[in-house]
Amino acid sequence: MVHASLPLSTPFNPKTPLCFSPFHFSEFPNKLFYFTPSPTVPSYCSQKRSIALPEDRQYETVNTASITNNPVSCSESGLPPLVSALKASAEQNAATFHFPGHNRGHAAPASLTRLIGIRPYVHDLPELPELDNLFCPQGPILEAQTEAAKLFGSSQTWFLVGGTTCGIQAAIMATCSPGEFLILPRNCHLSAISAMVLSGAVPKYIVPEYKNDWDIAGGVTPLQVLNAIQELELEGKKAAAVFITSPTYHGICSNLSDISELCHSRKIPLIVDEAHGAHIGFHSELPSSALQQGADLTVQSTHKVLCSLTQSSMLHMSGDIVDKGKISRCLQTLQTTSPSYLLLASLDAARAQLSESPDIVFDRAIELAKEAKCSLKQIPGVSVLENSSFPTFPAIDPLRLTVGFWELGLSGYEADEILYRDFGIVCELVGNKSITYALNLGTCRDHVQRLLSGIKHLAATYSSIQQPEDRVVTDDAPFDDIIMSLIPRDAFFASKRKVPVKESIGKVAGELVCPYPPGIPVLIPGEVITERAVNYLLHVRSKGADISGASDPLLSSLVVCDVL
């Protein structure tokens, strides 16, 4: 066997960058090679390289003539740092022997490339040196995160490829050790529950205000937080952290300024699930952001109202109450070691898009939302969620449009089915009594007009055949009578069995069950199952809700813990 090697002009020194002179490749006279400098040097994307698209799999040109309503874009000459690094790396004419297996699109599945083209595969790269390392950033990822921190007003920002879920889990794990208490609303997202399973934290629940006519839970008040803190103090205990969801899925915002002042007076960190509020604070008609109101940690789904790819989010930190090193260690535990650079670059691009004109970028979307709300209020039999519906709270996100249909004798599920079938209207959130529509930078006037036309038709059709309203849901939230038998972590690891749903009442829940969306649990592992909770689940299931987390999605049975 013959082994060939490249002649080296100087001895290789592992402590210095590997450099090659032109004659190193004299054995390959017809090949063109390009190399990049070390990624720790500012010039990591300064060299121009020829593109290496797979032969006979060239990218189909996208017709952008039909794409409208794109108020902001990044110019080619000023690409965001991580986008620029990804572009340069993808364009090198390299002989590649690394993952992923599609090899920069050469083996991309034809069924998907016919749908999205080849370029996503060309740019689907692993942790190459010039692309930096998510868990030890020194190059373009560090620069991109630093630019995001400047824009959002944090002392440090982390990019997330596991959605807001992994950011919430990291925030809770970094602040709550096993056996320590976490104050949080009972209508929190299920990611907070899984965070307690991971951390061993003990929940101290706050039951939010609840409006039966809407079947919607509100936010959390400073007085509720104070009461929870004082109840723990009377028992000789202290909260390790306070966790608030603001805005809620329906856009209801809590008074975070007073809550953060209250927490900081006791050296308690405030964590805010701001998944639905990455845009908050960037317009005079939008509420102040969690960071602007003093939150220590806030997690945002940059992909929701802003424009990054689905699953990409950011975690922001402010102040010095929380150990940032612990946050980094928790994220390294929770996030994949093979992060998608398409997701990471989309976060950088979304930040750049917003930073070009942060004060006016939402003008059009907010104006369309105002017009839609004004028109909807003129339609008989239709209700619109407004600040007056929850006067305890300072604001409702104007880009959330929640419409109630109970006066027409329709559930939200029934109304949504009709609007989708007859008008092609796709909503964000369906509830028992209402539907929530999310407006964003891509919302166009034609779609708003179609929504209004559909709801007008719905009202005209059903106003004369109104059905008696089903009143199964009581005046209280289905989760306001909490009896906790086991903490979430102990319940998660407890032995379990399945019982008929009616026999589950009085037993300890062994699975997390919630109508989805919005992913707010009705049953949490470790809690005693109540008749009210069972009736509520059966009711919304009959109305068309999808039930997430239940081993039996038909709810004929439930999983319970074996408790002695």
Side-chain angles (χ1 to χ4, degrees):
M1 181 179 294
V2 178
H3 296 273
S5 62
L6 295 178
L8 296 179
S9 58
T10 58
F12 172 65
N13 183 349
K15 295 183 179 180
T16 60
L18 180 61
C19 300
F20 297 89
S21 61
F23 71 79
H24 287 156
F25 305 104
S26 58
E27 296 178 353
F28 310 93
N30 298 320
K31 300 297 182 182
L32 183 63
F33 294 86
Y34 293 89
F35 292 89
T36 56
S38 167
T40 60
V41 180
S43 60
Y44 47 76
C45 58
S46 61
Q47 290 191 358
K48 198 73 176 177
R49 314 178 203 176
S50 60
I51 192 162
L53 291 179
E55 295 178 8
D56 73 353
R57 299 287 297 279
Q58 297 298 307
Y59 176 58
E60 303 85 347
T61 301
V62 177
N63 180 8
T64 59
S66 62
I67 300 176
T68 59
N69 248 4
N70 185 17
V72 183
S73 62
C74 296
S75 63
E76 184 71 11
S77 60
L79 289 176
L82 190 49
V83 175
S84 181
L86 185 62
K87 177 179 183 293
S89 185
E91 288 179 352
Q92 61 181 310
N93 187 356
T96 55
F97 298 91
H98 58 67
F99 301 136
H102 60 71
N103 200 350
R104 304 195 182 202
H106 286 86
S111 59
L112 191 54
T113 57
R114 283 195 292 266
L115 180 66
I116 65 173
I118 199 69
R119 282 197 183 272
Y121 283 97
V122 172
H123 293 85
D124 180 31
L125 300 176
E127 288 184 300
L128 300 172
E130 67 266 24
L131 293 181
D132 208 358
N133 187 313
L134 180 60
F135 300 121
C136 186
Q138 302 176 63
I141 293 178
L142 176 61
E143 186 177 346
Q145 291 184 156
T146 300
E147 290 299 315
K150 291 177 184 176
L151 177 65
F152 289 95
S154 68
S155 58
Q156 182 151 345
T157 291
W158 292 266
F159 283 2
L160 309 176
V161 293
T164 294
T165 290
C166 81
I168 288 173
Q169 290 171 341
I172 292 176
M173 289 175 66
T175 54
C176 299
S177 297
E180 292 187 329
F181 285 84
L182 173 67
I183 295 174
L184 73 168
R186 182 53 183 75
N187 64 328
C188 62
H189 188 264
L190 59 87
S191 58
I193 308 303
S194 63
M196 289 189 288
V197 171
L198 292 168
S199 67
V202 180
K204 173 68 175 177
Y205 289 121
I206 292 173
V207 177
E209 183 178 337
Y210 179 79
K211 293 293 184 182
N212 179 66
D213 52 351
W214 286 96
D215 193 18
I216 287 175
V220 170
T221 67
L223 180 59
Q224 287 178 308
V225 175
L226 176 61
N227 289 339
I229 291 173
Q230 290 178 337
E231 287 173 9
L232 287 175
E233 288 175 343
L234 287 173
E235 299 173 7
K237 301 166 184 173
K238 179 186 175 182
V242 171
F243 178 91
I244 303 292
T245 303
S246 181
T248 67
Y249 210 151
H250 298 93
I252 301 165
C253 299
S254 297
N255 183 348
L256 298 177
S257 293
D258 287 355
I259 293 174
S260 65
E261 185 177 344
L262 173 64
C263 291
H264 294 161
S265 68
R266 290 168 164 81
K267 304 296 183 184
I268 300 172
L270 173 62
I271 306 167
V272 178
D273 174 359
E274 205 173 28
H276 294 274
H279 62 296
I280 295 295
F282 286 102
H283 192 279
S284 59
E285 296 191 39
L286 291 170
S288 297
S289 71
L291 287 173
Q292 290 167 341
Q293 297 185 70
D296 300 285
L297 294 171
T298 179
V299 195
Q300 299 172 337
S301 293
T302 319
H303 64 89
K304 292 192 186 298
V305 178
L306 299 185
C307 303
S308 67
L309 293 174
T310 296
Q311 194 176 311
S312 59
S313 296
M314 295 186 192
L315 169 59
H316 305 289
M317 186 181 78
S318 183
D320 57 3
I321 295 181
V322 181
D323 180 355
K324 68 179 181 180
K326 201 168 183 181
I327 292 286
S328 295
R329 290 192 295 275
C330 289
L331 285 175
Q332 189 166 6
T333 301
L334 295 163
Q335 296 209 91
T336 175
T337 55
S338 302
S340 165
Y341 276 84
L342 288 172
L343 296 182
L344 293 172
S346 78
L347 287 169
D348 193 23
R351 184 276 312 163
Q353 180 187 42
L354 179 58
S355 64
E356 289 191 13
S357 53
D359 297 331
I360 63 172
V361 68
F362 289 105
D363 281 355
R364 178 173 172 80
I366 289 175
E367 187 60 33
L368 286 174
K370 282 183 180 178
E371 293 175 10
K373 187 173 290 188
C374 183
S375 297
L376 286 168
K377 288 163 69 175
Q378 309 304 315
I379 302 175
V382 170
S383 302
V384 179
L385 186 70
E386 296 184 277
N387 287 61
S388 57
S389 304
F390 284 91
T392 309
F393 302 100
I396 293 180
D397 178 5
L399 294 183
R400 290 297 155 94
L401 196 60
T402 300
V403 185
F405 300 93
W406 60 85
E407 291 183 18
L408 300 175
L410 294 171
S411 71
Y413 307 109
E414 293 164 335
D416 179 63
E417 183 179 355
I418 296 166
L419 291 170
Y420 175 72
R421 182 191 66 209
D422 297 344
F423 294 89
I425 296 167
V426 181
C427 72
E428 171 57 35
L429 170 65
V430 186
N432 183 36
K433 303 283 190 74
S434 63
I435 304 175
T436 297
Y437 303 94
L439 283 77
N440 50 49
L441 296 178
T443 303
C444 65
R445 187 174 297 277
D446 287 347
H447 287 178
V448 173
Q449 289 300 325
R450 191 196 297 189
L451 172 64
L452 294 173
S453 297
I455 293 178
K456 286 176 183 176
H457 175 78
L458 200 68
T461 302
Y462 287 88
S463 60
S464 60
I465 52 175
Q466 182 174 349
Q467 303 293 321
E469 188 181 359
D470 191 342
R471 302 298 295 180
V472 170
V473 181
T474 69
D475 289 335
D476 299 309
F479 42 71
D480 70 341
D481 51 351
I482 306 160
I483 303 173
M484 192 169 66
S485 178
L486 298 172
I487 66 170
R489 181 179 178 86
D490 290 346
F492 181 86
F493 290 105
S495 60
K496 302 174 181 68
R497 58 192 171 92
K498 189 177 290 188
V499 299
V501 64
K502 290 298 183 181
E503 295 180 19
S504 70
I505 297 171
K507 294 181 170 59
V508 177
E511 56 186 348
L512 190 149
V513 183
C514 56
Y516 197 91
I520 295 171
V522 172
L523 296 179
I524 291 178
E527 293 180 354
V528 176
I529 300 172
T530 65
E531 184 176 6
R532 179 188 297 168
V534 168
N535 288 342
Y536 179 87
L537 285 170
L538 293 174
H539 173 64
V540 296
R541 170 74 179 77
S542 71
K543 291 294 186 179
D546 291 326
I547 305 299
S548 173
S551 58
D552 178 4
L554 298 179
L555 291 183
S556 59
S557 63
L558 287 171
V559 172
V560 299
C561 295
D562 283 325
V563 180
L564 298 177

